């Protein structure tokens, strides 16, 4: 069982930066691949970034590649999403999730545990 709590969201102007954190409880956090998703009003939840268990492999949606960076610190049971050069279209609720081994990083259906989400709003 893994419990996830996101933090770090807020209101920022276009071009600005935010760093989201996702704190996990549970002794097995370091074994889980992790992902960040986002959901804007009226839209489906979409993949943003993923990271394997030791941080050696990362994956990004094309829309955020080069602007966002996912990382993790297994000693602190935390995964991060550094977001730079933010755009108004990045506005959404951002969720972190823990994925079962063997599934797809890109599909929300392959994630077993979800946080409650944190709101990110980018003003133009």
């Amino acid at each position: 069982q893994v419990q996830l709590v996101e933090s770090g969201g807020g209101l920022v102007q276009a071009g600005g930066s935010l760093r989201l954190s996702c704190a996990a409880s549970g002794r097995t956090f370091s074994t889980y691949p992790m992902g960040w998703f986002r959901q804007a009003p009226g839209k489906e939840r979409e993949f943003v970034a993923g990271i394997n268990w030791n941080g050696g492999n990362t994956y990004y949606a094309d829309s955020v590649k080069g602007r966002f960076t996912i990382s993790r610190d297994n000693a602190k049971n935390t995964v991060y999403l550094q977001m730079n050069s933010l755009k108004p279209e990045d506005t959404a609720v951002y969720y972190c999730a823990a994925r079962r081994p063997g599934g797809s990083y890109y599909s929300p259906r392959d994630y077993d545990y979800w946080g409650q989400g944190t709101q990110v709003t980018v003003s133009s």
Side-chain angles (χ1 to χ4, degrees):
Q1 186 79 10
V2 177
Q3 294 179 328
L4 305 171
V5 179
E6 302 96 335
S7 62
L11 173 64
V12 64
Q13 288 188 331
S17 297
L18 283 174
R19 188 175 83 152
L20 305 183
S21 298
C22 174
S25 64
R27 294 173 294 174
T28 59
F29 167 77
S30 62
T31 67
Y32 282 89
M34 298 292 295
W36 284 97
F37 288 76
R38 66 187 181 187
Q39 188 165 18
K43 295 189 177 181
E44 292 187 353
R45 191 167 298 190
E46 65 173 0
F47 170 80
V48 174
I51 189 167
N52 75 328
W53 70 276
N54 66 357
N57 293 302
T58 57
Y59 309 85
Y60 297 96
D62 288 343
S63 59
V64 307
K65 207 170 289 184
R67 300 188 298 123
F68 290 11
T69 302
I70 188 172
S71 61
R72 68 190 297 163
D73 185 338
N74 286 341
K76 295 182 179 180
N77 275 15
T78 303
V79 62
Y80 304 98
L81 185 68
Q82 177 67 44
M83 306 186 295
N84 299 328
S85 302
L86 282 161
K87 305 175 181 180
E89 51 263 44
D90 294 318
T91 295
V93 177
Y94 282 71
Y95 299 89
C96 72
R99 185 177 70 78
R100 70 184 73 107
S104 167
Y105 279 98
Y106 303 95
S107 172
R109 290 187 294 272
D110 284 344
Y111 287 76
D112 288 326
Y113 304 104
W114 292 84
Q116 83 290 349
T118 186
Q119 176 71 47
V120 171
T121 302
V122 184
S123 63
S124 57

